[in-house]
Amino acid sequence: MARQAHPTHPWPAAGFTLLELLVVMVIIGLLVGYVAPRYFAQVGKSEIKAARAQMAAIESSLDQYRLDVGRYPSTELGLAALFAQPANEPRWAGPYMKKQVPPDPWGNAYVYRMPGEHGEYDLYSYGKDGQPGGSGEAADVTSW
């Protein structure tokens, strides 16, 4: 049913009342409050999965380096030895990665130690907080 024009205005009365707008805003707020935490939890999980995938690629490159050179790069040489030939490494046949080793998904460098405490080498990321230890998204992501 069409609304009648107000006596002092030539056009029909249209729009929403303040109460209708408040109800809509409350509904939107509830939806955002419910959906946002679930969305951001998935983002954190995807960053951890991305770190694990990057570490798997780095490990594969380290293994190829070892096959060519006969040992893993030292801690001093670090992961840079996968992209640029170190001095005094005549058997180096790289580059073993197409680009420099990327930072972890949180923008920090991966930690590489050879010899490692958990294997021949240790490769890990300190997680979202960039500090050793932690839990949840701040937990370390390790290769062992």
Side-chain angles (χ1 to χ4, degrees):
M1 181 157 121
R3 291 188 175 190
Q4 299 294 323
H6 190 273
T8 60
H9 301 292
W11 58 86
F16 298 101
T17 66
L18 181 59
L19 182 60
E20 291 169 329
L21 289 174
L22 287 173
V23 168
V24 169
M25 289 174 57
V26 166
I27 291 171
I28 291 173
L30 289 171
L31 288 173
V32 168
Y34 180 74
V35 172
R38 294 179 187 275
Y39 171 75
F40 288 113
Q42 294 302 318
V43 170
K45 288 179 185 176
S46 67
E47 288 173 332
I48 293 169
K49 287 179 182 177
R52 290 186 197 280
Q54 285 179 335
M55 288 172 57
I58 295 168
E59 287 177 310
S60 176
S61 297
L62 284 166
D63 291 340
Q64 187 62 47
Y65 180 98
R66 181 181 179 209
L67 288 173
D68 291 345
V69 175
R71 66 186 178 291
Y72 290 110
S74 66
T75 301
E76 293 76 28
L77 290 175
L79 298 175
L82 300 175
F83 185 72
Q85 182 172 5
N88 302 322
E89 287 292 355
R91 294 172 52 194
W92 189 86
Y96 300 97
M97 297 191 78
K98 292 181 181 179
K99 299 179 183 178
Q100 292 279 352
V101 175
D104 68 15
W106 303 278
N108 302 313
Y110 284 99
V111 179
Y112 171 76
R113 293 203 176 106
M114 199 315 251
E117 296 176 10
H118 303 279
E120 291 186 71
Y121 63 86
D122 290 346
L123 177 64
Y124 53 98
S125 164
Y126 286 131
K128 185 175 183 175
D129 65 354
Q131 303 294 321
S135 61
E137 291 180 36
D140 297 350
V141 181
T142 63
S143 63
W144 56 88

